[in-house]
Structure formats: C-alpha cells, structure tokens
Amino acid sequence: MTKAVKQPASDVEKIVLSIDIGGSHVKILTSAGGAECRADSGPGLTPQQMAEAVRKLAEGLSYDVISMGYPGPVTHNRPLADPANLGKGWAGYDFAAQFGKPVKVVNDALMQAIGSYEGGRMLFLGLGTGLGAAMIVDNVAQPMEVGHLPYKNGKSFEDYIGERGLEKRGKKKWRRHVFDVVDRLRAAMQPDYVVIGGGNVDKLDELPADSRRGDNTRAFEGGFRLWRDKALIV
C-alpha cells in the first residue's frame, strides 16, 4: 500500500499569531481563537525583550506563521526606524530569524485598517499617542505617515490630535481639531468612508460625516488577513 504524502498547509489553513505592539502593551491572539494575551511594554522595550515576552505569552499555543503590527514605518518586513515611544534596536531587526517562523511586519495602523476594511476606498485614522493612518483602495493597502505633515502654527497634525494635543488643549478643542483634520484628509484622499480607531476614539461623542468607529481588536483580524486574504495587496 502506498503511504499518502501529507501536503503542506496553505496560507489560508495556517494558524496565524497576530502581534500588536503598542506603547503600553504587547498583545497577541491566534487565528485558532481563544483569549487575547498581553504584556506591558513601555519606553525602554527592545525588540529582543518584545520577542521574549511574546514567546512567554504564546507558551502552549500552536501557530504556523506570524503577523506583526509595528508602531512606525516598515519596509521589506522590517522596521525602518526605531519608534518614538519604545526602546532602541528595532530598525532592521530580523523577526523571522528571531522567531524561527515566517513573519509579515506592517505598520500597526495598516494592520488595524486591514482588519476594518469592507471594500471600496477606505481611509483609516488611528487616534492614539500619535496619529496612525492608512488608505486601502480596492484591496490595495498603503500605510501613510501623515501625522507629521504641517498643520497649524508650525505644528503637525499629530501635535494637535495626538495625545499631546489632547492633554495640552483639552477635550473640546481636541475634538474640533479631529473633525477639521478628518475633513482635510477626506478632501485630499476622496475615500468612500473613514474608519477612526485608536485608543482615543472613545473620547469622541460624535463622529465626522461618513465615518465609523474602529476597534483596536480589529488589528488581530488584520494580521490574520495578511496571510489569508489572497485579494489583498500590501
């Protein structure tokens, strides 16, 4: 009798470990289900410390491939620069070598955007420590570093609607600036709809026109889609 040869699992069948790296926490979830696990991060966190924390969180979990949302620009699956709110050593770090598994690394706002996408032209904005942004047009996903573009009085968008702007100017003025920035970016990008996510979206009582609230947990779904959605171009 000829013994059947087991075929390797396709990307659609593989179990994905999604890692969401933030300034306060590193969070993980696998596509097999279960509960989100998290560990503290902070301004001194190095990529080596992050990897060790993830391995500890993932003890006992089965996964084949990894997706990672990184709080900064990414090129060729590696961070292009160290993040403003974490430690040093991230730029050029080889996560695939560290974990011994295939890894896809994208900007964290892009990962949440992919998890929030429902077709057409979508602009995603993440209101957090800074301002994350991404655009997806007919399944073509593109991160955008718009937070540092000039806005008012020699300051950037991020200076006004990031965490610093909220603390400096108060909630009422911050909300007004959020609406203004969304209007400006909508005029430039011409999206069908806007998704506003990030930790500070909860501080908005109302949303700009043609916008809906995002959910930080959608970042995990974005990580799963990076491997499973064959129509997606990143």
Side-chain angles (χ1 to χ4, degrees):
M1 178 180 285
T2 304
K3 187 175 181 180
V5 177
K6 185 178 181 181
Q7 297 297 318
S10 70
D11 284 348
V12 174
E13 297 168 326
K14 288 174 180 174
I15 299 175
V16 184
L17 174 67
S18 272
I19 305 171
D20 186 13
I21 304 169
S24 301
H25 297 95
V26 175
K27 297 173 284 188
I28 71 166
L29 183 71
T30 77
S31 57
E36 170 192 313
C37 298
R38 60 173 59 193
D40 292 338
S41 58
L45 187 74
T46 67
Q48 180 70 33
Q49 290 170 338
M50 184 281 298
E52 291 170 358
V54 167
R55 275 195 290 268
K56 187 172 182 180
L57 290 174
E59 282 180 0
L61 298 178
S62 176
Y63 56 95
D64 304 300
V65 293
I66 296 172
S67 294
M68 188 177 299
Y70 172 75
V74 174
T75 183
H76 304 305
N77 281 325
R78 298 187 187 186
L80 190 61
D82 288 341
N85 56 348
L86 296 176
K88 303 296 183 182
W90 295 84
Y93 195 84
D94 188 346
F95 291 103
Q98 175 62 233
F99 284 104
K101 292 182 182 289
V103 179
K104 291 185 179 182
V105 186
V106 296
N107 172 264
D108 58 346
L110 182 62
M111 197 161 86
Q112 189 175 155
I114 291 168
S116 306
Y117 183 60
E118 295 180 354
R121 298 173 60 90
M122 183 195 77
L123 172 64
F124 174 86
L125 298 174
L127 303 177
T129 304
L131 173 63
M135 187 85 185
I136 305 181
V137 179
D138 297 333
N139 290 305
V140 179
Q142 180 64 44
M144 299 190 302
E145 294 294 325
V146 302
H148 302 294
L149 292 177
Y151 178 43
K152 290 184 177 184
N153 302 316
K155 302 292 185 180
S156 68
F157 286 141
E158 191 166 282
D159 289 323
Y160 274 81
I161 67 173
E163 189 72 36
R164 291 190 305 271
L166 176 61
E167 292 174 353
K168 181 177 180 180
R169 297 177 181 89
K171 194 179 293 184
K172 185 176 180 180
K173 288 184 178 179
W174 175 81
R175 286 172 175 165
R176 189 167 68 243
H177 290 308
V178 169
F179 271 63
D180 184 46
V181 169
V182 170
D183 285 345
R184 289 170 186 247
L185 292 177
R186 182 189 287 112
M189 309 297 180
Q190 296 294 300
D192 299 322
Y193 58 102
V194 180
V195 175
I196 303 176
N200 284 336
V201 69
D202 293 340
K203 296 181 173 65
L204 293 174
D205 292 336
E206 299 178 355
L207 295 179
D210 300 319
S211 299
R212 63 178 172 83
R213 292 182 191 275
D215 184 332
N216 284 350
T217 62
R218 299 302 296 177
F220 295 126
E221 175 63 25
F224 305 154
R225 287 185 184 180
L226 279 173
W227 289 96
R228 295 179 163 188
D229 189 344
K230 297 307 178 184
L232 185 69
I233 300 172
V234 180

